[in-house]
Amino acid sequence: MTRLLYRTTRATLPVAVGGQGIELIDSEGRRYIDASGGAAVSCLGHQHPDVLAALHAQLDRLAYAHTGFFTSEPAEQLAERLIADAPPGLDRVYLVSGGSEAIEAAVKMARQYMVETGQPQRRHVIARRQSYHGNTLGALAAGGNAGRRAAFQPLLIDTHHIDPCYAYRLREPGESDAAYAARAAQALEDRILELGPDQVMAFVAETVVGATAGAVPPVGDYLKRIREICDRYGVLLILDEVMCGMGRCGTLHACEQDGVSPDLMTIAKGLGGGYQPIGAVLLSGRIFDAFAGGSGAFMHGHTYMGHPMAAAAGLAVQDILRRDGLLANVAAMGETLQQRLVERLGDSRHVGDIRGRGLFRAVELVADRATRAPFDPSLKLHARIKQEAMARGLMVYPSGGTMDGTRGDHVLLAPPFIVTPDDIDSIVDRLGAAIDAALATLPS
C-alpha cells in the first residue's frame, strides 16, 4: 500500500531504483530505454558522472541560501552562461524551480512591464489552442488544452486563444507553407484588433508545440510574422521553450532555427537534465530596464529560486553539452530517428503524420488516414500504447488531444542527446511493436 497520491489513483507503478545512460532500472531488475527523457527532461541520460561530481562538490560548499539575503556562485555563473548563449536582446535571467513557475513569472513580468511603462490598461494574454504552458493556475489559464482546463475553468483568469500553426490539421489542400504561415499568423493580428490594440500585453506560444499536440513545428516564416505583429502593436512575445528548448531541437534554443528573438523566454526540463528541479525566464534588457528605472523590483518570488544545487546542476549540464558537442549529435540522430520512423511506420494506415525537430519527434495516429479522422477517445489508444511499450522495456510519452484537447492520439519521443544509431533502431523497433500490439487490442 502506498501513501502517495499518484498521477492516477488506478495505477500500480514500478519502483525506479537506478539508471544508466539511456536506461532506467526498476526494483525487479527490468530495464527501460528512456525514449521520452521522462518528459523531455533527461537530456544527458541517467547518472552522468560529471553532473554527479558537480553536485557533490556544490553540496560540500553550500546547499541553500535564500535569495532575499544572498546570491551564489553557481547561480551567477549559470546566468552568465545562459545569456552568453541566448538569442539577441535577452539580457537577464530569473531562476526558478520548473516550467510552470517560469511561465507564471513571465506572464507577471509582462504585466508589471506594462504598469512600469505607463500602460496599465494592457491586461490581455493571447495564446494558442492545444498548447500547454504548465499546471499552476496562471500557466493553465495561458494554456489551450481543453481537457486540462475544464475542471478548473472557474478559477482561471480570462485569456484568449487562436488556432496553432498546425499544418497537418489546419492547412488547406494545396496551400503553400508561405500562404499557410501568413494565414495562421494573421489570426493573432485579428485577435489583437478585436480586443483593442492598446489592451493586449503578451502573446504566449511554444516554439515547437510539445506534449499536447506532439512536436508540432512552425511552418515557413510563421514566427517571423508573429514577431512583426507583436512589434507593430507593442505586444510582448513570450516563447515557451520549456520542453522544446535547451538543445532538444538541435540548436540550444528552438527559435534560433526561425531567426526570431522573443522578449521573454521560458526554459526548464533539459536545462538541468533532471538532476535537480530548475527553470528560468530569460528577459530582454528593456524589460529589466523598466523594472530598474521604475519600482526597482520584480514583485514576485519563490523560496527555492536560484537554488545553488539546482544552478550547479544546470551549469554542469550546459558545460557537458558544449564540451561533448552534443547539439551536433541531436541534429544527426534526429534525422536518423525521423528516417527510421518513416521506414517502420510510414506505410501504416493508422499513422497520419511523423514530425518534429532534432530529438523531439512525434507520431500522430488516426483511425482513417485518408480523412485524418481520430480514434474514438474512449478507446484510450495512447494509454494502450504506453502499456505495450513499457512491457517491451520502452518509455515513450503518448497523449490524447491532438485536435481539441479531447480527441486524437500521438506518441512523443525525446530520447537523451547521447543516443546512437543502434539505440535509435531499438527505440523504433520496440515502438513499432507496441503500436501494432495496441492497435490489435482495439475492438474490431
Side-chain angles (χ1 to χ4, degrees):
M1 178 180 177
T2 181
R3 295 296 181 182
L4 288 174
L5 174 58
Y6 297 150
R7 288 171 178 253
T8 170
T9 61
R10 296 182 175 89
T12 301
L13 298 176
V15 179
V17 298
Q20 183 178 22
I22 67 167
E23 292 183 321
L24 280 168
I25 306 163
D26 72 14
S27 57
E28 302 297 323
R30 290 185 291 264
R31 289 176 173 264
Y32 306 83
I33 297 176
D34 190 357
S36 60
V41 173
S42 299
C43 59
L44 297 184
H46 301 278
Q47 301 303 105
H48 195 292
D50 294 346
V51 185
L52 299 184
L55 286 170
H56 281 294
Q58 183 58 43
L59 184 60
D60 288 340
R61 291 193 296 269
L62 174 70
Y64 173 72
H66 193 280
T67 52
F69 300 93
F70 295 98
T71 186
S72 69
E73 291 180 354
E76 295 287 348
Q77 291 167 4
L78 178 58
E80 289 290 341
R81 169 62 57 80
L82 291 176
I83 294 305
D85 294 338
L90 297 178
D91 186 64
R92 303 282 170 153
V93 177
Y94 189 80
L95 293 175
V96 292
S97 298
S100 294
E101 283 187 18
I103 285 289
E104 200 84 12
V107 171
K108 291 178 76 173
M109 284 182 189
R111 171 59 186 168
Q112 186 172 331
Y113 171 81
M114 295 305 174
V115 173
E116 300 272 18
T117 57
Q119 305 174 79
Q121 79 285 356
R122 288 187 182 264
R123 62 184 181 87
H124 293 301
V125 174
I126 302 174
R128 302 188 299 186
R129 298 183 185 93
Q130 207 50 43
S131 60
Y132 178 70
H133 297 294
N135 259 335
T136 56
L137 289 176
L140 190 63
N145 183 284
R148 290 178 182 267
R149 289 167 54 95
F152 307 102
Q153 187 66 50
L155 307 180
L156 303 181
I157 61 171
D158 288 337
T159 53
H160 308 272
H161 294 87
I162 61 173
D163 280 341
C165 185
Y166 189 177
Y168 177 68
R169 287 288 174 190
L170 300 177
R171 180 164 51 191
E172 298 290 343
E175 190 174 28
S176 68
D177 281 356
Y180 175 57
R183 180 166 64 84
Q186 184 59 43
L188 173 60
E189 184 168 23
D190 292 345
R191 186 58 59 89
I192 291 171
L193 293 174
E194 175 188 326
L195 295 169
D198 65 344
Q199 300 293 311
V200 179
M201 70 180 192
F203 176 63
V204 186
E206 298 158 281
T207 305
V208 178
V209 181
T212 56
V216 180
V219 169
D221 64 349
Y222 171 79
L223 278 182
K224 285 186 176 179
R225 289 177 176 272
I226 290 294
R227 174 76 272 181
E228 292 167 358
I229 292 167
C230 288
D231 289 342
R232 189 178 309 142
Y233 296 102
V235 173
L236 295 179
L237 174 59
I238 303 173
L239 287 184
D240 179 348
E241 297 208 355
V242 167
M243 183 170 265
C244 67
M246 302 314 294
R248 175 57 58 190
C249 289
T251 50
L252 189 63
H253 303 294
C255 62
E256 293 176 46
Q257 299 176 41
D258 300 282
V260 169
S261 291
D263 301 295
L264 294 152
M265 174 186 286
T266 59
I267 56 175
K269 296 189 183 289
L271 172 60
Y275 289 90
Q276 288 282 290
I278 187 169
V281 182
L282 278 57
L283 57 145
S284 68
R286 69 177 172 127
I287 294 175
F288 174 81
D289 290 343
F291 295 170
S295 64
F298 174 41
M299 309 304 289
H300 186 66
H302 292 283
T303 299
Y304 293 109
M305 58 184 285
H307 196 284
M309 292 291 289
L315 185 61
V317 169
Q318 298 314 302
D319 285 343
I320 293 163
L321 290 185
R322 277 189 174 188
R323 183 196 70 196
D324 295 350
L326 290 180
L327 292 181
N329 196 58
V330 173
M333 290 301 97
E335 291 302 317
T336 299
L337 178 57
Q338 179 74 13
Q339 178 184 339
R340 298 286 195 275
L341 287 169
V342 170
E343 290 170 356
R344 175 63 175 83
L345 299 170
D347 292 332
S348 170
R349 65 191 181 96
H350 292 304
V351 172
D353 196 23
I354 302 171
R355 55 178 176 256
R357 287 182 181 175
L359 287 174
F360 196 50
R361 303 280 169 174
V363 176
E364 182 163 343
L365 297 153
V366 291
D368 187 295
R369 190 168 182 171
T371 65
R372 304 183 182 181
F375 283 95
D376 185 328
S378 67
L379 296 174
K380 297 188 181 299
L381 175 60
H382 58 283
R384 296 171 189 249
I385 292 171
K386 181 178 180 180
Q387 180 178 2
E388 295 290 347
M390 287 289 282
R392 290 161 175 77
L394 181 69
M395 293 166 55
V396 294
Y397 201 99
S399 185
T402 50
M403 290 187 67
D404 60 9
T406 58
R407 296 183 294 152
D409 298 276
H410 67 265
V411 180
L412 184 71
L413 297 171
F417 299 174
I418 57 176
V419 288
T420 67
D422 287 345
D423 297 329
I424 296 293
D425 287 342
S426 294
I427 290 168
V428 173
D429 287 345
R430 296 185 198 194
L431 174 61
I435 290 175
D436 290 344
L439 290 169
T441 68
L442 298 180
S444 56

